[in-house]
Structure formats: structure tokens, C-alpha cells
Amino acid sequence: MPKTSTLAKVDDLIARYPALSVCRDDLIEAVKAICESYAGGHKLIACGNGGSASDAEHIVGELMKGFLLPRKLDDDMEAKMRAVCPEEADYFMENLQGALPALSMVNQVALNTAFANDQAPDLSFAQQLLGMGDDGDVLLAISTSGNSTNVIYALQMAKVKGVRTIALTGKSGGKIKSRQLADVTICVPDDETFRIQELHLPVYHMLCIAAENEFFGD
């Protein structure tokens, strides 16, 4: 179970965005899933199309370096650095930050274009999950409509590989919700694409803040 201060990030979000109160239970479950995955030494994988592809990249950027907290490296890491590269150790310790392992499937341009050309474009995310998804990882799949075929296939392959799944969608949830394709489906309360995206950003910021607090907070 995550720390009380970690779960409190959900209510902090809702205080700023009251419309998201309808998502509270799913937000809590998403925080739990991500924290449990990281506690087990696993990683988060993100995907989406268009603006949601940019969101996937954004999420990785917030997880792989300090977001709100400094994330200082521990004494064990410092000792290893001083043993391997003593001249650079001070520079490394001053600038490098603790990371929460995360990958975006949208930035694999060579793989995605080759697979789209040679095989099937709507299976490029599924192919990546087949290759790098591990039991215990989390897939954060973003689709404003809930109907994106390549995202649906990614969710299905994630289940094949034992990867836990969180979907971030709009009010209806589309096929992702109706077919119960994700372990957790966060349906933000709007139907218009750009407004859905406007609510997705604070949601995934909160997920990143919560995970950071869990592993780097007091």
C-alpha cells in the first residue's frame, strides 16, 4: 500500500480540478498499480497517438528525472561511482538524479516505421510490448476516444505478457471501457478531444508526482 502522503496526491488533484472527482477511485487504483510496479523493480511503458503521443513522451520526461523533488542519489551509488570514475564522481553526484524507469513506445521511429511498412502499422505498439514488456510492468495507454486500434492491441498484448494496464480516456471510455480491456480505466468527464486532453495532463502529472513522492519523498 502506498504511503498516505502519496495517496493524498489524488485529493490534491481533485481540489484543483473538482470535475475529476468522478474518477477518484480509478485514480487511486492507478497510483497503487504504478507504485507497486516500481516497488517490485519494474518499469512504466506509455503510448498514444497524436497529442496523446506527446503526452506519453511528457510522462517519461517527468518520471526519468526530478519533477518536484531533488531525487539525490544514495550513498551506495556514490560509492560505486567513486570506484569506477573517481574524477567524475562529484560532477555525477551533483547533477544526476534518481529515476523511475519509464519508456515511450511512440519515439521508436525506425522500429515503428519499419514494422508499419513490413508488417502491420496498427500492431507496432503490440510488437514493442511483445519484445520488452515484462510481468509486473505497467502500461499507461492513452486514447481520448477509447477506440484507437493500435492502443487496444497494445492493451491486449500487455495482458498476454502479464503487464498491468492503465487506460486514460474520455467520458465514454469507448471500446477500452466497454470491453474492459484495462485493469484501470480513467475516464475524464468530457467528450471533446481537446478538453479531454486538457484533463489528461493534470491526471498524469498527478500520477508522476505520486510516484515520485512514494520513492523520493519524506
Side-chain angles (χ1 to χ4, degrees), residues 10-157:
V10 173
D11 289 325
D12 291 345
L13 170 70
I14 291 171
R16 291 183 290 113
Y17 296 89
L20 292 173
S21 61
V22 296
C23 305
R24 185 177 186 276
D25 290 346
D26 293 316
L27 293 169
I28 289 174
E29 290 306 309
V31 169
K32 289 179 179 178
I34 292 170
C35 289
E36 288 170 6
S37 177
Y38 279 135
H42 303 292
K43 62 184 178 290
L44 182 141
I45 302 169
C47 70
N49 299 300
S52 298
S54 297
D55 289 334
E57 290 283 282
H58 189 166
I59 290 163
V60 171
E62 305 298 15
L63 292 171
M64 287 289 289
K65 63 171 185 60
F67 185 11
L68 300 184
L69 301 177
R71 301 197 195 179
K72 294 294 184 181
L73 302 182
D74 60 25
D75 293 341
D76 181 59
M77 182 59 69
E78 180 176 5
K80 291 177 180 178
M81 288 180 179
R82 295 200 181 281
V84 173
C85 45
E87 294 182 2
E88 292 81 16
D90 286 339
Y91 180 62
F92 284 3
M93 288 299 298
E94 182 180 352
N95 291 286
L96 293 177
Q97 301 171 312
L100 294 166
L103 296 167
S104 166
M105 294 195 290
V106 305
N107 66 359
Q108 305 299 322
V109 178
L111 171 59
N112 284 337
T113 54
F115 195 82
N117 185 65
D118 300 340
Q119 299 299 133
D122 56 5
L123 287 174
S124 60
F125 292 158
Q127 176 65 29
Q128 290 190 60
L129 277 162
L130 179 63
M132 69 180 176
D134 295 318
D135 191 352
D137 289 344
V138 167
L139 170 65
L140 181 51
I142 310 170
S143 171
T144 57
S145 67
N147 295 320
S148 303
T149 303
N150 57 349
V151 174
I152 287 172
Y153 290 158
L155 288 164
Q156 292 173 324
M157 182 52 62

